[in-house]
Amino acid sequence: MTAHRAAHRTPQRPHAAAKPVRWAADTVATMREGARLRLDYSTQSLWRVDRMIEELRREQPPYAAVESVLRGFGAYAGEVIVRGTGGGAEWLEAGGGHWVRTADGRLWDPVDEARRCFAGHGSLRLLCRDATTP
């Protein structure tokens, strides 16, 4: 296969997607290996992610101990939104954070929503539902 044909098969993602896509993939691998939890980028999988965050919260670890885990869960939720909209959403990088912009122009911060979940005030599942509902 020529490089030209390969380029047409793999859609180019914006540069802003590089870090959150990697964080999400690392989270999927870590959950599969460590927690025996399969995350498949479906909206249904966010029920499991919300439960995992709730379990973490109940254990009451210091925030610094779970910060990167929460970032990974948030990035995973963002990827669920991006993939679930069939290209109608994209990652943006602004102000040191990573946001998802849906086709209607709304901005979503799934990493911050994961932090809110840990604080007992959020839901990645509901964020995804809201982001993918016009």
Side-chain angles (χ1 to χ4, degrees):
M1 178 184 319
T2 66
H4 177 73
R5 287 178 63 198
H8 285 292
R9 292 197 175 174
T10 306
Q12 292 294 315
R13 302 281 306 265
H15 176 71
K19 285 182 181 178
V21 167
R22 186 178 71 240
W23 296 333
D26 288 350
T27 296
V28 168
T30 300
M31 289 298 106
R32 184 178 58 241
E33 294 164 13
R36 300 266 188 246
L37 177 67
R38 293 194 57 80
L39 298 177
D40 60 3
Y41 294 98
S42 68
T43 54
Q44 295 81 12
S45 68
L46 293 175
W47 283 91
R48 292 185 293 261
V49 173
D50 277 348
R51 281 197 304 270
M52 290 289 296
I53 294 172
E54 175 62 26
E55 288 174 23
L56 281 175
R57 187 169 73 81
R58 273 186 262 156
E59 294 170 10
Q60 299 181 332
Y63 177 76
V66 295
E67 183 175 10
S68 66
V69 172
L70 295 173
R71 182 186 68 198
F73 282 145
Y76 173 78
E79 270 298 284
V80 170
I81 294 167
V82 169
R83 293 176 183 206
T85 59
E90 65 180 343
W91 283 102
L92 301 174
E93 191 172 0
H98 292 83
W99 301 72
V100 172
R101 180 174 55 202
T102 49
D104 58 11
R106 293 181 295 170
L107 293 175
W108 307 89
D109 188 346
V111 174
D112 186 58
E113 189 68 13
R115 293 182 195 116
R116 288 174 37 76
C117 290
F118 183 68
H121 306 293
S123 168
L124 292 172
R125 178 184 57 83
L126 295 177
L127 175 82
C128 180
R129 184 198 66 192
D130 292 348
T132 57
T133 303

